[in-house]
Amino acid sequence: MSWERTVLMNSQKENTSPEYSCFTAKKPIEIYVFIDPMCPECWSLEPYLKKLSIEYGRLFTLRPIISGSSKPLNHGNFDRPKKLKEIWERTASRTGMSCDGDLWIENPIHSPITAYLAIKAAELQGLRYGKAFLRKVQEYLFLKKKNISDESVLMECAKAVKLDLQEFKADLYAVSAKKALQCDIKLAHEMEIDYMPTMVFFHKNIEEQGIKISGLYPYDIYVRVLSEMLDHTPIPSQHPPLESFVRHYEVVASKEISVVYNWSIEKAEREMKKLQLKQLVEKIPAKHGTFWQYVGEKNSHH
């Protein structure tokens, strides 16, 4: 299995925004994740990103780079909603991360650019908020079949992740969000990212060299790359108790639980049913696989 070494161009150094300056973090490794929020393959990477963050998050900063196509989706090839539906359904049944392709028949998205700008606008409130908002947008798209280029849907997502709504609405149409998105697209172009998702690992002390992995790989490949960058094999951190994990992420797939905890899907679902009996989680109906929502706070008597 091979991955290319690639050179990080100086492009992001031009951007003065602190969120974009290279290697601001104290952690030795920075991982750029080039994703298209509307791509089911990128959605399928989620379980591995969660596991990596839980086991080795102390060693790296994860930076999502939005690099989907900002062209309207009803041109040329994409003039075939049935085709998109088929791709979504195939990916979902293969990966266990549900995405409902009926969206393309019932509520097609013609231009995703607003959603991309919204993710950058959310990120202006901090990288943590940006990531939470990105995840929420993916949930609304893949699970709820919502048109994520619709402003009211984006406001719902913003509210769900507790963004400052006034600030978010202002930033959505501000130059800063546009510039941040252009910066992402330029970076993807300069680093010759031609497949989603792609992860690029950088070491803050060896600036010019990164390791690029395009596509989805088994989890141990990501760990191997991390070890190669660190020059030693790090010891994974302990997993949090299942309830804490679900409380933290709020909405999780059985697939994500099975990957993070090294359980079969059946065991993951059995464990979640125990939490369901305690009224801590609710099952979310999904077309492929199962998702769970944490409701513990609502039902607790504190």
Side-chain angles (χ1 to χ4, degrees):
M1 221 161 258
S2 68
W3 40 77
E4 311 155 42
R5 282 188 176 274
T6 184
V7 173
L8 172 58
M9 305 297 179
N10 292 328
S11 68
Q12 76 266 51
K13 301 210 173 64
E14 293 161 23
N15 190 324
T16 51
S17 138
E19 281 295 352
Y20 277 80
S21 63
C22 204
F23 313 122
T24 44
K26 303 275 184 289
K27 299 172 182 179
I29 303 292
E30 184 148 39
I31 304 175
Y32 284 26
V33 188
F34 290 85
I35 60 163
D36 177 350
M38 296 185 50
C39 154
E41 291 273 330
C42 296
W43 178 232
S44 311
L45 185 63
E46 282 284 290
Y48 303 107
L49 293 180
K50 280 191 171 56
K51 190 178 175 74
L52 211 55
S53 297
I54 285 170
E55 295 189 343
Y56 305 105
R58 64 191 190 278
L59 300 166
F60 66 81
T61 310
L62 200 63
R63 214 169 273 283
I65 309 288
I66 304 302
S67 40
S69 163
S70 51
K71 296 185 193 78
L73 292 182
N74 46 1
H75 282 327
N77 235 357
F78 283 106
D79 199 19
R80 296 201 296 275
K82 285 197 184 80
K83 185 91 185 118
L84 278 170
K85 172 181 157 76
E86 212 175 278
I87 293 168
W88 275 35
E89 302 285 348
R90 240 197 345 256
T91 308
S93 52
R94 190 184 78 238
T95 63
M97 286 296 281
S98 187
C99 45
D100 194 334
D102 291 340
L103 168 94
W104 293 106
I105 311 296
E106 298 164 14
N107 193 9
I109 294 163
H110 296 300
S111 176
I113 189 87
T114 321
Y116 299 163
L117 287 169
I119 292 160
K120 292 286 122 188
E123 226 172 66
L124 293 171
Q125 298 189 29
L127 197 52
R128 191 170 61 87
Y129 282 110
K131 285 182 201 162
F133 180 78
L134 166 60
R135 167 72 184 202
K136 195 53 69 183
V137 162
Q138 289 174 305
E139 286 167 16
Y140 269 62
L141 174 70
F142 294 119
L143 299 178
K144 298 185 174 188
K145 289 191 290 188
K146 295 279 185 155
N147 182 343
I148 57 162
S149 60
D150 181 327
E151 194 188 293
S152 62
V153 171
L154 293 167
M155 290 308 285
E156 254 181 77
C157 293
K159 199 174 168 185
V161 299
K162 302 181 174 62
L163 288 182
D164 178 321
L165 297 182
Q166 252 177 318
E167 203 180 308
F168 172 72
K169 196 164 185 173
D171 285 338
L172 187 51
Y173 299 103
V175 173
S176 44
K178 271 201 186 90
K179 273 198 168 145
L181 181 59
Q182 281 162 355
C183 190
D184 279 14
I185 291 166
K186 185 178 172 198
L187 188 60
H189 178 70
E190 287 183 351
M191 291 179 59
E192 297 172 3
I193 305 296
D194 48 18
Y195 190 86
M196 305 290 158
T198 290
M199 286 165 78
V200 186
F201 291 67
F202 296 108
H203 195 296
K204 74 176 196 314
N205 299 334
I206 335 168
E207 229 173 272
E208 74 286 352
Q209 274 205 321
I211 296 182
K212 178 161 92 174
I213 311 180
S214 298
L216 288 171
Y217 283 88
Y219 179 69
D220 58 314
I221 295 294
Y222 303 115
V223 178
R224 203 190 301 171
V225 174
L226 194 61
S227 307
E228 191 177 317
M229 295 242 91
L230 290 163
D231 256 351
H232 70 273
T233 305
I235 294 168
S237 301
Q238 273 189 308
H239 294 147
L242 183 58
E243 190 196 327
S244 309
F245 172 75
V246 186
R247 187 195 307 126
H248 178 75
Y249 287 107
E250 292 181 357
V251 173
V252 294
S254 294
K255 167 74 181 201
E256 291 178 301
I257 296 159
S258 84
V259 167
V260 168
Y261 290 91
N262 297 324
W263 293 341
S264 64
I265 291 282
E266 293 71 32
K267 179 167 167 65
E269 301 208 325
R270 275 201 307 276
E271 295 300 322
M272 288 308 285
K273 279 177 187 147
K274 292 177 193 169
L275 294 184
Q276 193 180 17
L277 286 172
K278 293 180 181 169
Q279 296 190 329
L280 293 171
V281 299
E282 283 171 2
K283 193 171 178 174
I284 301 175
K287 195 162 182 180
H288 303 267
T290 312
F291 280 73
W292 307 85
Q293 173 135 24
Y294 186 76
V295 290
E297 261 73 50
K298 293 178 208 159
N299 294 331
S300 67
H301 303 295
H302 300 313

